[in-house]
């Protein structure tokens, strides 16, 4: 625990068999009360590797998408009593060593959400981020900062820490099951008045690290712009959206029957 708060690290996995062990090995001891792998119907040996490492592992019977995987991650973490939840990709792209710093920032009460930013410092391009992705990241972030009325170095990192209150309050079940889920969460956090902090995070791009292709990146980009525009229209009262409404669907206390199985407790 950190300052009496239970910390759970969730790892949304898809074909992470080659990188899971390296990721787990670099999580600092004494920070996380529990680590939980959620496998989204991988086609490799991710589940076998999780079992070998003695990790609790939730297994989706069919692929639910990146956003759908996170919904399971957060539902299960809340059910297990988490006060702070950290999402860490098990593809070894982000540094697990920063979990403690991120958790402490949330535990302090200064921030409700903390992002591991690839853009702060010189981490992104130095770590191998493709130039077109870097340029798109900067463009989309600039547009979002304007439309959402805040200032973040990036909205697109997959390394995040949340307080329990955030995950219980935001209407996360209104969000997409695809990659734009990440972006919708931050727009919702702004709409609900939650504070967002950032920490510089070195990143690695290599063949085994997960990465969406150009076509999916374009789809994601349009989804990001659509989310920011919906937020602005909602704030102006032009278009009411349940994505940002108090009546939006929140995560359930328990998962739908048959949605997934617990491979190991």
């Amino acid at each position: 625990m950190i300052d009496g708060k239970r910390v759970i690290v969730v790892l949304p996995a898809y074909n992470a068999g080659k990188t899971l062990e390296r990721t787990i090995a670099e999580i600092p001891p004494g920070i996380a009360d529990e680590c939980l792998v959620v496998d989204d119907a991988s086609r490799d040996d991710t589940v076998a590797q999780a079992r070998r490492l003695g990790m609790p592992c939730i297994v989706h019977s069919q692929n639910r998408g990146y956003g759908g995987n996170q919904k399971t991650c957060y539902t299960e973490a809340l059910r297990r009593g988490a006060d702070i939840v950290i999402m860490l990709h098990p593809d070894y792209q982000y540094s697990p060593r920063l979990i403690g710093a991120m958790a402490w920032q949330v535990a302090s009460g200064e921030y409700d959400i903390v992002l591991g930013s690839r853009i702060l410092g010189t981490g992104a391009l130095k770590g191998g981020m493709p130039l077109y992705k870097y340029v798109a990241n900067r463009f989309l972030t600039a547009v979002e900062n304007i439309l959402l009325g805040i200032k973040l170095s990036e909205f697109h990192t997959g390394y995040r820490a949340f307080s329990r209150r955030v995950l219980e309050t935001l209407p996360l079940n209104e969000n997409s099951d695809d990659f734009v889920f990440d972006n919708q969460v931050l727009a919702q956090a702004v709409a609900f008045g939650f504070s967002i902090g950032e920490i510089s995070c070195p990143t690695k791009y290599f063949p085994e690290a997960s990465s969406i292709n150009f076509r999916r990146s374009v789809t994601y980009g349009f989804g990001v712009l659509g989310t920011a525009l919906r937020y602005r229209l909602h704030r102006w009262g032009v278009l009411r959206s349940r994505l940002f409404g108090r009546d939006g669907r929140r995560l359930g206390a328990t998962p739908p029957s048959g949605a997934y199985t617990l491979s190991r407790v």
Side-chain angles (χ1 to χ4, degrees), residues 15 19 22 91-93 204-212:
N15 294 340
T19 55
R22 278 187 288 175
D91 62 357
Y92 200 59
Q93 187 176 105
K204 313 175 189 71
Y205 283 80
F206 55 97
E208 290 80 14
S210 63
S211 182
I212 61 177

Side-chain angles (χ1 to χ4, degrees), residues 93 118-119 123-138 203-206 210-212 214 217:
Q93 187 176 105
R118 300 164 294 179
I119 303 303
L125 291 175
K126 184 178 179 181
M129 177 185 282
L131 182 60
Y132 83 88
K133 289 191 175 184
Y134 179 83
V135 173
N137 184 307
R138 307 315 304 132
T203 187
K204 313 175 189 71
Y205 283 80
F206 55 97
S210 63
S211 182
I212 61 177
F214 180 78
S217 295

Side-chain angles (χ1 to χ4, degrees), residues 131-169:
L131 182 60
Y132 83 88
K133 289 191 175 184
Y134 179 83
V135 173
N137 184 307
R138 307 315 304 132
F139 169 74
L140 292 173
T141 294
V143 173
E144 289 175 283
N145 277 330
I146 293 170
L147 291 177
L148 272 62
I150 60 172
K151 187 176 181 180
L152 295 177
S153 68
E154 75 157 321
F155 287 77
H156 316 293
T157 175
Y159 197 10
R160 303 168 175 221
F162 300 95
S163 70
R164 182 181 186 92
R165 187 165 67 96
V166 168
L167 298 177
E168 289 182 327
T169 302

